[in-house]
Amino acid sequence: MAYLGLASFLLWSASSDVLAGRDALISLASVDPLSADLDQLELQLVEAGRPVASGSSKLRSPLLWPLRPVPVVGRQVAVARAIATVADDVVAQTTAVVGEAAELQRAPETERVAVLRRLETGLATLNETLADPDLGPRNNLFGVLATARGDAEVQLGDLRDQARDAEIVVTGLRSFLERSSYLTMAANINEMQVGAGTPLSIGTMELENGDFTVESFVTLEDVDVPSGLPSVDADVATLWGFLAPTNDFKKLMLSPRFDAFGGPQSLVLYEAVADRSLGGSLVLDPVALKAMLTVVGPVEVEGETFDADNVLRYIFVDQYDEFLTGDEVDLSNLSTLSEGQLARRDRLAGIAAATVDALANGEFDPLALIEAFRPVARGRHVLAYSSVPEEQAMWEALGVAGVMDGNEVGVSLLNIGVNKLDPFVDVDVEVTEGPGATSGTRSIELAVTISNDAPPTLPTGVTGYYWETIGMPTPASYLGRLMILAPSGTTSLMLDDPDRPIEVFGKDGPLAVLVTRLEPIPEGTSVTIRAHIELEAGAMTAYELFPSGRYIPVDYTWNGASFNDAVFADIPLDD
């Protein structure tokens, strides 16, 4: 009797510890490592690990060995011991990983690669533990233990997904910092293309053992790209061949698939220009520069200070007042820039270069940079491509690779008006979506309203000097192309107005795209374009809203629900 009493007490005590282990797993799975205080989290994990280790130790006690052969009781002991053992291992390994991540925040740039290697090893060990955890049999368990086992299984699955993504990011970051070379393009979202701004200047960035070397940015007017370069993507060549996008950095964003066209094609262009190959390509727009400035602090360019509070206002408006009066612009020649225009673009290149240089040579927290970039990345304000598999996997995991999976739907407005009006043009889309005419099909009706809200106080450099040259009715008229992107199962994509011209139509990777050229939209007016999509839904359960990358996001009303395209978002199919 004394033995049974002691064994019962030990089981009860160990069960409490098992529940603590379950709770520890739940708390681990809910932690966001990028926003957490890692030093504090490490202490919390140490505290959480104590009851878990205690329970594991109790369940290995020789006092419980005689109970193992007992059919029902032995099963409970085995499962409790399995949960406690897995929880003990996972908490201990996660604590070690968090400790290394905290060390990464403090490490000088010359030591970051070494810390990342240790972090990579720790995550590999954790992922091995999480790959196939043995929680014991799931049948014929007492209620509390059955619940604990079920909860542990779910939380281990969530933690496994997080740890796998973390290992991908850490491995890629280690490769990136250890030795890499990237083309860096500064894009202007005053002139939009498909889901990104137009590149206007380029530079290079070399990394070796955490040390950055940044080459000064140059404006694309100073870059002579040879003609006749091959396209890395057949779809883009077919759709946009009339614009020769394979020979122009400014046209690399005509496809939403940066991983398939914009990134690799930019490296082809650069190699043709500089007679040297690079391993990767980055695109940063002013919103991304603002995010970087929140981490690295203010930078100084030609006596002016730029920080996260003033950089967007300067890029969108103030720079045009500073450099351009309009008197020096040759209105008969769109391809030749005035001294003021060149000076303005040099200043933009200088801001981009100074920001990247501050990142390269300053002390900053790499995890804080990733955290600052997270919402920016989800809105396509930074895009990245690498020919190195580990680095490309990192960019994809971070959501900045520009990969299209085929479920995307959305609109993009492309500026062709030789002006900088995009921040002052609103796009609103009303969507009616539901089952199609036949079983298994879906129907999407879109009404896209484009409103030119340019105020009369804008500098001429923003509204455009060439409005009469290109036949615009008023100085601040907006001229553009509207692209409609539809999912991979699309069987019909058409405009309601059969007389409206279609410039581009076909497949861009997994997506169907249609582009129509708009008539000029004078300031204070709007136009509405209606389109219809029919598709075979197949196994698709949700659409993915494609971010336009605009400073002012596109507003959607989707079957009565309102949201915008600031970031990628899943939209469930409506029954």
Side-chain angles (χ1 to χ4, degrees):
M1 290 294 293
Y3 165 74
L4 289 178
L6 186 58
S8 297
F9 174 78
L10 195 60
L11 275 174
W12 172 83
S13 177
S15 297
S16 298
D17 292 334
V18 168
L19 293 177
R22 177 201 61 181
D23 294 340
L25 291 174
I26 291 173
S27 66
L28 284 177
S30 64
V31 167
D32 181 353
L34 294 180
S35 59
D37 180 332
L38 294 182
D39 289 320
Q40 184 63 31
L41 177 59
E42 186 178 9
L43 292 175
Q44 292 172 349
L45 286 170
V46 170
E47 289 299 316
R50 286 173 179 161
V52 175
S54 173
S56 180
S57 176
K58 291 171 185 175
L59 289 165
R60 289 195 298 268
S61 170
L63 284 173
L64 298 180
W65 290 356
L67 297 179
R68 292 180 184 179
V70 181
V72 176
V73 177
R75 178 182 292 265
Q76 316 307 310
V77 173
V79 170
R81 186 173 62 250
I83 295 173
T85 299
V86 170
D88 189 17
D89 290 344
V90 168
V91 171
Q93 292 166 12
T94 305
T95 303
V97 164
V98 170
E100 292 293 355
E103 182 63 28
L104 180 64
Q105 292 180 314
R106 296 184 289 266
E109 62 183 38
T110 55
E111 297 179 14
R112 286 175 184 157
V113 171
V115 176
L116 283 167
R117 282 195 176 279
R118 296 197 300 269
L119 188 53
E120 193 177 354
T121 300
L123 282 165
T125 301
L126 176 60
N127 276 311
E128 186 177 345
T129 299
L130 293 169
D132 188 22
D134 180 9
L135 298 177
R138 60 168 48 90
N139 298 322
N140 301 318
L141 300 177
F142 298 153
V144 173
L145 194 57
T147 300
R149 190 196 182 287
D151 290 345
E153 190 169 31
V154 170
Q155 300 305 329
L156 284 169
D158 292 343
L159 191 57
R160 179 168 53 246
D161 292 341
Q162 292 182 24
R164 184 170 55 243
D165 289 345
E167 185 178 3
I168 290 171
V169 171
V170 167
T171 299
L173 185 58
R174 188 265 307 154
S175 174
F176 176 71
L177 292 176
E178 191 169 40
R179 184 185 295 272
S180 64
S181 58
Y182 275 72
L183 174 69
T184 307
M185 296 182 281
N188 190 351
I189 53 175
N190 288 3
E191 299 177 71
M192 290 301 302
Q193 292 190 21
V194 180
T198 301
L200 295 181
S201 59
I202 61 173
T204 61
M205 182 170 57
E206 305 270 354
L207 297 96
E208 185 167 359
N209 197 30
D211 184 35
F212 287 68
T213 301
V214 179
E215 181 183 290
S216 294
F217 280 62
V218 296
T219 63
L220 289 177
E221 279 66 36
D222 297 327
V223 178
D224 185 18
V225 179
S227 61
L229 295 177
S231 175
V232 299
D233 186 81
D235 287 351
V236 175
T238 300
L239 294 172
W240 294 101
F242 67 99
L243 291 181
T246 61
N247 304 305
D248 192 343
F249 283 99
K250 295 180 183 178
K251 296 172 183 175
L252 292 174
M253 303 301 146
L254 290 175
S255 169
R257 296 177 299 129
F258 190 72
D259 65 313
F261 178 70
Q265 190 70 39
S266 71
L267 299 184
V268 172
L269 268 64
Y270 183 80
E271 185 170 2
V273 168
D275 195 25
R276 61 183 287 231
S277 60
L278 299 174
S281 180
L282 293 168
V283 177
L284 305 169
D285 74 8
V287 177
L289 290 180
K290 177 180 178 180
M292 293 171 68
L293 288 170
T294 63
V295 177
V296 303
V299 297
E300 187 171 307
V301 180
E302 298 180 13
E304 291 193 55
T305 299
F306 300 96
D307 57 29
D309 294 326
N310 68 9
V311 68
L312 292 184
R313 167 74 191 187
Y314 181 83
I315 290 174
F316 289 159
V317 177
D318 293 348
Q319 58 165 321
Y320 299 97
D321 276 334
E322 181 175 353
F323 287 105
L324 301 173
T325 64
D327 297 335
E328 76 280 17
V329 177
D330 182 358
L331 298 180
S332 65
N333 189 344
L334 274 67
S335 62
T336 302
L337 298 182
S338 68
E339 290 186 5
Q341 289 171 305
L342 290 171
R344 179 187 66 80
R345 293 194 177 183
D346 284 342
R347 175 63 61 82
L348 290 180
I351 295 172
T355 304
V356 175
D357 189 63
L359 182 69
N361 298 307
E363 294 295 330
F364 68 95
D365 175 1
L367 297 182
L369 181 64
I370 294 175
E371 171 69 5
F373 263 176
R374 185 154 52 176
V376 172
R378 294 179 64 212
R380 289 180 62 97
H381 297 291
V382 55
L383 292 166
Y385 165 80
S386 177
S387 59
V388 178
E390 293 86 355
E391 293 170 30
Q392 181 63 12
M394 172 183 66
W395 300 133
E396 292 179 10
L398 292 174
V400 299
V403 177
M404 300 292 106
D405 62 16
N407 292 338
E408 291 80 8
V409 63
V411 302
S412 269
L413 196 58
L414 290 72
N415 187 335
I416 57 173
V418 201
N419 57 41
K420 317 296 181 187
L421 287 173
D422 274 295
F424 308 98
V425 174
D426 284 339
V427 183
D428 298 275
V429 184
E430 186 171 349
V431 179
T432 303
E433 191 278 341
T438 59
S439 176
T441 64
R442 309 293 296 184
S443 171
I444 307 174
E445 300 281 351
L446 303 98
V448 185
T449 300
I450 304 161
S451 303
N452 184 348
D453 295 332
T457 55
L458 289 176
T460 307
V462 176
T463 59
Y465 299 106
Y466 304 100
W467 63 279
E468 289 182 300
T469 305
I470 61 176
M472 302 268 256
T474 60
S477 291
Y478 185 86
L479 182 63
R481 294 182 172 102
L482 174 67
M483 173 182 277
I484 298 171
L485 300 93
S488 60
T490 295
T491 56
S492 175
L493 171 58
M494 64 181 67
L495 301 174
D496 284 9
D497 181 357
D499 296 325
R500 175 166 288 282
I502 295 176
E503 282 193 314
V504 172
F505 182 80
K507 300 290 286 184
D508 190 335
L511 303 179
V513 297
L514 180 152
V515 178
T516 181
R517 184 185 177 103
L518 305 173
E519 295 297 320
I521 306 172
E523 56 272 34
T525 68
S526 63
V527 64
T528 298
I529 311 295
R530 300 181 185 277
H532 179 77
I533 301 170
E534 288 281 342
L535 67 145
E536 295 178 354
M540 186 170 67
T541 59
Y543 302 104
E544 190 165 13
L545 188 64
F546 175 77
S548 62
R550 302 179 66 80
Y551 175 63
I552 300 177
V554 175
D555 287 320
Y556 282 80
T557 303
W558 189 292
N559 287 353
S562 297
F563 44 83
N564 63 40
D565 73 348
V567 298
F568 278 101
D570 288 334
I571 307 171
L573 272 62
D574 196 331
D575 295 331

